[in-house]
Each structure stands twice: as structure tokens, then as C-alpha cells.
Amino acid sequence: MSVKIVMHTKIYNELKTLITNGHLKENDKLLTEEQLCEQYNVSRITIRRALKDLEEEGLIYKIRGKGTFISPSVIVQNKNTLTKFYDDIKKTGKIPSSKILSLKIIYSDEELNKKMSLKRSIELYEIIWIRYIDKEPVIYEKLYYPVYKFSGLEKYLEENINLYEVLQKKYKFTAGKGIEFFKPCLLSEEEIKLLKGNKIKIGMKLEKKLYDGEEVIEYTLATIRGDRFLYQIEYKL
């Protein structure tokens, strides 16, 4: 084994430890390649190999012309139960927030009738918003609720709201069951712009249905940045 490989591994491990133990904070700028070469007394090739491994692991990201930065930590969500964005983010010590792009009442079209198992067109609240973690956009989301179930919902909606808390307190909202579908995707140019995902082009598409008995009372379509979430499922065998 050559000295270069040994040093590359050593530098990678040291930088990874500084990141994972919090000495290097999210979005902190890393030393330049030249500075790291001087610090470790190694060649630029060795430093680049260490940085390449850190980048592939999602621990750092590069912005052309600006430098290399520490990636935000990944949010782990347990998919054994209904996950609630606001509550899950608060538990990590980060600040959840949202910005409403559109809120209106629409009539369900053929596609929504099919997705929500509706026998006829009905009035739906359509909420389109961006969800944030510490002011960083991470989810672009569209939600649909039957107006007859949640009449007056627009009075309670505001930015940075804990939506499920409102639904539970004001409407005694309780989902009997839920189904979620995930699939990887390439972010569109519009989604990259909305989610400021210049450093990440991979995302996840989420389709969610929440039921009250056999009735769909929430239908959600979301685009999620692929670098910010890790979904966990536990099995009991």
C-alpha cells in the first residue's frame, strides 16, 4: 500500500470526524486545497482524493468559484408511522417553517377524482407551499383536502404553521390509515430553482393518501430534495 493511499485515508477520516462531531458546522467553508496541502504536508492529488470521498458520501459540497462547504445533516424519518414534518424537524433541534405559494378552492378534476376515489367532482382546498429547514428549502408540496370536511380551513392557514396540529385541534382530524409511495427522480429546472438545489439534482417524488375509514381526506404530492432526508423502516420478525 502506497503512502499516498494511507494519507488519503487518514485525511478523509480526520475531516469526517470533524464534520460528524460538529467541529465543522453545516455550510461552513472548508479550507482550500492549497491550505489543506500545507496543513497535512501532502500533494494536491492526495487532498483531492480525500475530498472526493467526502463529497461522494454527501458530507461536503462544492460551489464553483466559491469553494467547498460542509453539507447540512440528513434528517432521518421513521416510516413505520405517519411522519409529521413540523414535529420531526423540531425534534432535531432545527427550525421548521413554510411559505405558502398558493391557497385556493378548486373543483377536483378526473385525475384527482381517481386518486382520491371520488365518485364526482367536489370542492377541494389546494395548498401549494415550500417547506424549510433552518430557512433552507427542502420540500415542494401540493396538498388537497375536501372542503366539506375542513370548511373554513383558510382562516387558520398561515406561513410557518404546524398544519396537522391545526387539523387535529380545529377539526378533530384523525387518520385511520395512510399510504405513501416514493420514487427517485431528477429535479426539473423549476424544482431546482424552487428548492435551491444547484448542488443536488436528485430528488424523491412522494405521493401520500390519508384515510378516514375508506375515504381519502388528504392527498399529497411532494418533491423532496434527495440530500436532506433518509427514510427508515423497522421490521419485527
Side-chain angles (χ1 to χ4, degrees):
M1 184 178 290
S2 70
V3 173
K4 286 185 178 180
I5 294 177
V6 171
M7 284 305 298
H8 147 258
T9 303
K10 178 178 182 293
I11 295 165
Y12 160 81
N13 286 333
E14 287 188 9
L15 290 175
K16 181 176 180 178
T17 298
L18 290 173
I19 294 170
T20 55
N21 67 16
H23 281 84
L24 292 174
K25 306 294 184 183
E26 296 180 6
N27 299 310
D28 277 354
K29 187 174 182 180
L30 197 60
L31 295 175
T32 66
E33 290 183 1
E34 183 178 356
Q35 290 170 325
L36 289 170
C37 288
E38 293 178 1
Q39 179 174 319
Y40 289 101
N41 193 28
V42 295
S43 70
R44 184 160 291 190
I45 293 175
T46 301
I47 291 298
R48 285 178 177 173
R49 287 191 63 184
L51 295 180
K52 181 175 181 292
D53 286 350
L54 289 169
E55 186 175 18
E56 288 179 350
E57 197 169 337
L59 295 171
I60 62 172
Y61 65 94
K62 295 179 180 179
I63 299 178
R64 183 173 295 180
K66 294 186 177 181
T68 302
F69 301 83
I70 308 304
S71 297
S73 58
V74 174
I75 304 298
V76 178
Q77 286 192 303
N78 188 335
K79 283 302 176 181
N80 299 319
T81 59
L82 172 64
T83 55
K84 301 175 182 177
F85 175 86
Y86 193 95
D87 294 334
D88 289 348
I89 302 309
K90 289 284 285 186
K91 289 176 184 176
T92 69
K94 299 180 183 296
I95 300 174
S97 60
S98 57
K99 180 180 180 181
I100 297 173
L101 304 181
S102 174
L103 168 59
K104 59 186 177 182
I105 294 176
I106 65 169
Y107 279 95
S108 58
D109 58 17
E110 185 176 347
E111 181 67 16
L112 283 170
N113 287 344
K114 181 179 178 181
K115 293 293 187 180
M116 300 180 71
S117 301
L118 299 172
K119 295 180 180 180
R120 59 182 177 82
S121 181
I122 67 169
E123 288 186 317
L124 297 173
Y125 284 110
E126 180 189 66
I127 305 166
I128 303 176
W129 62 6
I130 304 289
R131 314 298 296 272
Y132 294 81
I133 299 175
D134 288 345
K135 298 183 179 181
E136 181 182 22
V138 293
I139 301 176
Y140 172 65
E141 197 168 45
K142 295 181 180 181
L143 304 99
Y144 298 90
Y145 296 96
V147 172
Y148 75 88
K149 277 278 190 181
F150 302 100
S151 179
L153 180 60
E154 68 275 11
K155 294 185 295 185
Y156 306 110
L157 289 179
E158 58 186 35
E159 294 188 357
N160 305 329
I161 191 175
N162 184 340
L163 179 57
Y164 282 130
E165 184 176 273
V166 170
L167 296 178
Q168 289 168 349
K169 288 184 177 180
K170 301 295 183 181
Y171 298 95
K172 309 304 179 185
F173 169 87
T174 302
K177 67 175 181 178
I179 299 175
E180 297 185 27
F181 301 93
F182 293 85
K183 65 179 179 180
C185 68
L186 291 174
L187 299 179
S188 68
E189 291 299 319
E190 180 185 6
E191 290 166 341
I192 289 172
K193 183 178 180 181
L194 286 169
L195 298 176
K196 297 183 179 178
N198 292 329
K199 66 178 186 295
I200 182 72
K201 302 295 190 294
I202 303 297
M204 292 289 294
K205 293 289 186 183
L206 162 69
E207 181 180 14
K208 179 172 70 175
K209 299 178 184 180
L210 295 183
Y211 291 81
D212 181 7
E214 297 302 315
E215 182 182 10
V216 178
I217 55 176
E218 179 192 299
Y219 179 64
T220 299
L221 292 170
T223 302
I224 304 165
R225 276 180 47 172
D227 61 331
R228 295 311 314 273
F229 291 90
L230 175 66
Y231 298 111
Q232 172 181 296
I233 300 175
E234 296 180 4
Y235 293 93
K236 292 183 179 181
L237 303 176

